[in-house]
Amino acid sequence: MKTKSKIIALLLCVILALCLIPSFAACGEEPVDPPSPEYKVYSVTLQYNGKNIDGNVLNADVSAGTLQLTAKVVKDDGADGAVTYASSVAEVATVSKDGLVTLASKGETVITATAGDKKHEIVLVVADDYSTADSYTVTVNGGTASVTSAAEGTYITLTANIPEHQDFIEWEFSENVSWINGNVFKMPASDVEVTAKFEAMKYTLNVVGATVVKADEIDDPTSSDGGNTEDGELPEYDMNVYRFEYGTEISVEAIEEPAGKIFVGWDYGVENNRVGEMGIPEYGPFSMPDSTLTVWAVFSDLNPKLLTAAKTRNYYDTNNGSLTIENGVPKGGSADPDLEGLSGYRLCFSGGESARSDYPENITGSVLNSTVMGTQIIKVILKNHSNYPVSLELYASFHGNMATSGEMTVEANSVLTTFFTAGMGIYNPYMGVRLTQNLGGASSERFNVDMVAGVADYYPNGDKQLQVSGNAEYVVLKDEQPDSSGENRFISGNGWTDYKPATRNPDIGSYSMATWSNNFPAYNADALPYKVATIENMPEYDPDSPNVDIYVKTINNVNTLEEPVLKLRYGIARSTSPDQNNLIDSVDVELTRTAETSVVKLTIPRTSADETFCLVVYYTESIRDGAHGVCFTFQLTYNNVMGYVEGGE
């Protein structure tokens, strides 16, 4: 019997325990949500001049008109800390929603600040009898005082209202103040006037390879030696350090070009941020900002022999003075300082000669290459030996990528220097010079113009179009089929015909390609023209993270068409004979503007360390009527340092 009672008691305990388990629905009750958190305001404190009010009593002179109070609120992050203000006696003073107190008359009022369920009260004592011997006024120019009036012996705290771009220097007191300690003084038995003294802040200007030649009305700005930015002795890397006020108008001038160098431009703030006129060694005026600024004069190694062809097919007549010029020396003559050591030709023209509307491409054999280091700067000097102005254009044409000086007019018996750039992707182009304006003079007259040119990297530290945001891990493609000169042509497959080799700079993972659209066969969506090359430097295989991403930046180099459309497909294949319908991964790119850039991603799912993968570049555009240029550069990295955004921008 006792055993049966024990069993019944045990069952009752189990049932009771089940009902206590938080599965209330099982016991016939609805689930209960946990209580919402309570966010609290813990305190609110009225302050004047950013400090707590001593004794909760603030004295003021009605003549001051207004005074600004603030409130410090201590609260949880989720609590509402909005402050409301109130004055108990509006006839003495009123207070705005922002804590601005307007003094109305002599008397006392209680100012209250409330936040949440907390409040703080002070007594504001407003007087108008500070002309008496017991209380004296405090007038502050350029700041505020802890009280507007006080009795003799009171300690007063001052706060400066520092203007923008100014530094506080010191307080200037009326002569009757004798005890001063920083921002605190002792009230004498008389009124006090205090004035805050400020001076303009100065900011640092670093100038590399140049000097400041003008700064507003400062003829000789003071500088200090900032050392050599390359830890060497080359003068183009020497830094001068200046200090200027905000808004100072400044002009700078590059140092004299070091031997073998050419000044190419100014970088402002960060490298490759070009300002000013290309090739002009003066820049300014510009305004000093309110932060440290660095300005670089950029110099690049000069190749003085851009024009190396034996002669030009037009405007070249040895019987009437034409000859070659090498390093500034006309053949058979002596060095001409006006030609600055550059090479070229002495051209011959006839009086009354007509301008040409076509582009004769009459300079063959000269070499221009913007595929390795990117954009090139070309310096041209024209020296006119005639009594007539002469207008010429020097240009290079490469598969829809044109570099041109534009019209250069050199006046009679004078010298003209000009600069222009050759954009990325040009290699051994067709070049030429043409007359752009009809000449004066009689047809029987013959006269000469010297034309010399040099070339340099416009961005000696790497073209800004190929800049990356960090330490790049570049993808290297194999030289599959070098030509006789050793240039990389990749492997041609399915109709991508070469006019020029594909050039590369594996140090920055860049490759440039160019051809004409009419070199491709008739459009066939199932058999697109392609180039392909094996990836040489696949990362070490990691079975825990086998996939490898490749990021591809493409730059459209065509600039001679109204619609420079470029349509490509990048793919990953397992061999140099790819099947476009069986690629591991692929992505299409369409660029419609000159210098437009696109960054895409390809993913390679690896299964072992010994797999071989190839990059394939397809041309996917339907061929239009007539030929159009196909000229582009692409860059390859394993890490996302070129601005790729998943899913597009």
Side-chain angles (χ1 to χ4, degrees):
M1 187 70 178
K2 290 182 178 179
T3 301
K4 184 175 180 181
S5 298
K6 289 180 179 179
I7 292 173
I8 293 172
L10 179 62
L11 287 173
L12 289 173
C13 289
V14 171
I15 293 170
L16 178 61
L18 288 173
C19 287
L20 292 175
I21 294 175
S23 178
F24 301 106
C27 293
E29 298 182 14
E30 292 295 326
V32 178
D33 292 331
S36 300
E38 292 187 19
Y39 299 114
K40 296 182 179 180
V41 174
Y42 296 100
S43 68
V44 57
T45 305
L46 278 164
Q47 295 182 325
Y48 178 58
N49 284 335
K51 297 180 180 180
N52 294 349
I53 298 168
D54 292 339
N56 292 327
V57 176
L58 181 63
N59 295 305
D61 181 357
V62 71
S63 64
T66 61
L67 57 88
Q68 179 67 56
L69 298 179
T70 56
K72 179 181 178 181
V73 178
V74 179
K75 66 181 185 66
D76 291 329
D77 287 344
D80 182 2
V83 178
T84 58
Y85 297 90
S87 171
S88 63
V89 184
E91 292 79 10
V92 173
T94 59
V95 59
S96 74
K97 62 182 180 63
D98 299 315
L100 180 66
V101 176
T102 300
L103 307 175
S105 66
K106 177 181 177 180
E108 295 184 4
T109 183
V110 176
I111 303 295
T112 304
T114 303
D117 61 353
K118 303 296 180 182
K119 67 179 180 178
H120 182 214
E121 295 178 340
I122 66 163
V123 176
L124 176 64
V125 180
V126 182
D128 64 358
D129 56 355
Y130 292 111
S131 61
T132 69
D134 296 328
S135 189
Y136 305 95
T137 61
V138 179
T139 302
V140 183
N141 303 311
T144 58
S146 54
V147 295
T148 59
S149 63
E152 179 185 4
T154 303
Y155 290 95
I156 312 296
T157 301
L158 302 171
T159 303
N161 294 333
I162 303 175
E164 190 175 15
H165 309 303
Q166 298 277 306
D167 277 326
F168 171 74
I169 304 302
E170 62 183 1
W171 295 104
E172 185 178 86
F173 293 85
S174 51
E175 294 180 356
N176 53 339
V177 178
S178 59
W179 191 96
I180 303 167
N181 183 10
N183 293 323
V184 179
F185 73 96
K186 185 187 291 186
M187 193 71 184
S190 59
D191 294 342
V192 171
E193 183 172 2
V194 187
T195 301
K197 295 297 183 182
F198 306 99
E199 70 176 9
M201 297 178 67
K202 290 188 176 181
Y203 302 91
T204 299
L205 172 66
N206 301 314
V207 181
V208 181
T211 58
V212 171
V213 292
K214 184 175 174 57
D216 282 347
E217 301 305 320
I218 304 174
D219 294 327
D220 187 17
T222 301
S223 68
S224 59
D225 184 1
N228 190 282
T229 58
E230 294 293 319
D231 296 326
E233 298 181 355
L234 296 176
E236 60 265 36
Y237 299 114
D238 286 343
M239 178 187 290
N240 291 306
V241 180
Y242 301 84
R243 298 274 293 169
F244 292 115
E245 297 177 11
Y246 170 77
T248 300
E249 295 293 299
I250 302 166
S251 296
V252 290
E253 183 175 9
I255 63 172
E256 184 177 347
E257 290 176 337
K261 300 280 187 176
I262 180 177
F263 173 80
V264 297
W266 295 96
D267 283 352
Y268 183 96
V270 294
E271 290 185 328
N272 286 352
N273 179 33
R274 288 296 158 82
V275 295
E277 294 185 54
M278 178 172 53
I280 303 302
E282 297 88 22
Y283 172 60
F286 60 92
S287 295
M288 187 68 205
D290 57 356
S291 60
T292 297
L293 171 66
T294 301
V295 177
W296 292 265
V298 183
F299 297 87
S300 189
D301 292 332
L302 174 66
N303 175 3
K305 297 182 178 181
L306 171 65
L307 303 175
T308 58
K311 63 178 183 178
T312 65
R313 288 200 306 272
N314 303 101
Y315 318 123
Y316 199 89
D317 182 356
T318 56
N319 294 324
N320 287 285
S322 289
L323 46 78
T324 56
I325 301 170
E326 186 171 355
N327 296 332
V329 181
K331 187 175 182 179
S334 56
D336 184 343
D338 289 335
L339 303 182
E340 300 183 18
L342 303 182
S343 299
Y345 314 100
R346 178 163 292 170
L347 305 175
C348 178
F349 298 94
S350 301
E353 189 166 349
S354 299
R356 294 191 63 153
S357 59
D358 63 339
Y359 286 84
E361 295 179 349
N362 50 21
I363 302 175
T364 56
S366 295
V367 175
L368 175 64
N369 184 357
S370 65
T371 61
V372 176
M373 288 298 291
T375 304
Q376 302 290 289
I377 182 173
I378 298 171
K379 180 178 183 178
V380 183
I381 299 177
L382 300 178
K383 185 172 184 178
N384 189 352
H385 297 277
S386 78
N387 295 322
Y388 307 99
V390 179
S391 298
L392 301 174
E393 179 184 10
L394 178 66
Y395 57 89
S397 177
F398 187 73
H399 300 91
N401 189 347
M402 173 77 87
T404 175
S405 65
E407 185 173 87
M408 304 177 291
T409 299
V410 54
E411 299 298 330
N413 297 298
S414 63
V415 178
L416 173 72
T417 301
T418 191
F419 300 86
F420 67 100
T421 57
M424 188 180 297
I426 295 177
Y427 180 80
N428 193 17
Y430 297 102
M431 297 184 69
V433 59
R434 71 184 184 101
L435 188 67
T436 59
Q437 295 287 337
N438 297 339
L439 290 176
S443 59
S444 58
E445 291 184 86
R446 300 289 183 272
F447 51 85
N448 301 118
V449 175
D450 294 343
M451 181 184 71
V452 293
V455 64
D457 296 328
Y458 189 47
Y459 298 100
N461 295 322
D463 196 297
K464 67 178 182 180
Q465 290 182 288
L466 298 175
Q467 280 186 309
V468 296
S469 60
N471 294 322
E473 301 169 16
Y474 293 111
V475 179
V476 178
L477 301 179
K478 183 179 179 182
D479 282 339
E480 299 284 2
Q481 189 180 352
D483 66 7
S484 58
S485 68
E487 296 287 356
N488 177 24
R489 287 182 179 272
F490 297 83
I491 284 181
S492 295
N494 196 26
W496 192 311
T497 304
D498 279 318
Y499 253 152
K500 302 289 184 182
T503 53
R504 69 176 192 159
N505 184 353
D507 291 338
I508 56 173
S510 71
Y511 301 82
S512 294
M513 291 179 158
T515 188
W516 293 107
S517 62
N518 61 358
N519 291 333
F520 296 133
Y523 181 76
N524 182 346
D526 295 324
L528 297 173
Y530 66 81
K531 288 282 193 177
V532 61
T534 304
I535 300 172
E536 280 197 319
N537 64 334
M538 288 292 295
E540 183 177 351
Y541 178 67
D542 181 359
D544 295 328
S545 181
N547 290 356
V548 172
D549 292 328
I550 291 179
Y551 299 89
V552 188
K553 176 192 287 184
T554 309
I555 303 167
N556 189 359
N557 298 328
V558 175
N559 60 14
T560 59
L561 302 176
E562 291 185 7
E563 297 181 5
V565 177
L566 175 68
K567 294 183 180 180
L568 304 171
R569 176 174 300 149
Y570 293 99
I572 299 295
R574 295 188 180 275
S575 76
T576 53
S577 299
D579 179 353
Q580 75 177 56
N581 297 313
N582 193 28
L583 297 172
I584 296 172
D585 192 14
S586 66
V587 61
D588 286 357
V589 170
E590 179 176 345
L591 303 176
T592 60
R593 301 187 307 276
T594 299
E596 184 179 4
T597 299
S598 168
V599 181
V600 297
K601 182 178 74 172
L602 296 166
T603 298
I604 305 175
R606 301 173 74 183
T607 58
S608 68
D610 56 358
E611 295 173 289
T612 297
F613 298 98
C614 301
L615 179 81
V616 194
V617 185
Y618 293 93
Y619 184 76
T620 62
E621 184 180 5
S622 299
I623 306 304
R624 294 177 286 185
D625 292 338
H628 64 273
V630 178
C631 186
F632 64 97
T633 298
F634 64 93
Q635 187 178 29
L636 305 169
T637 64
Y638 284 118
N639 53 341
N640 187 14
V641 292
M642 299 188 296
Y644 172 76
V645 178
E646 193 73 43
E649 295 185 2

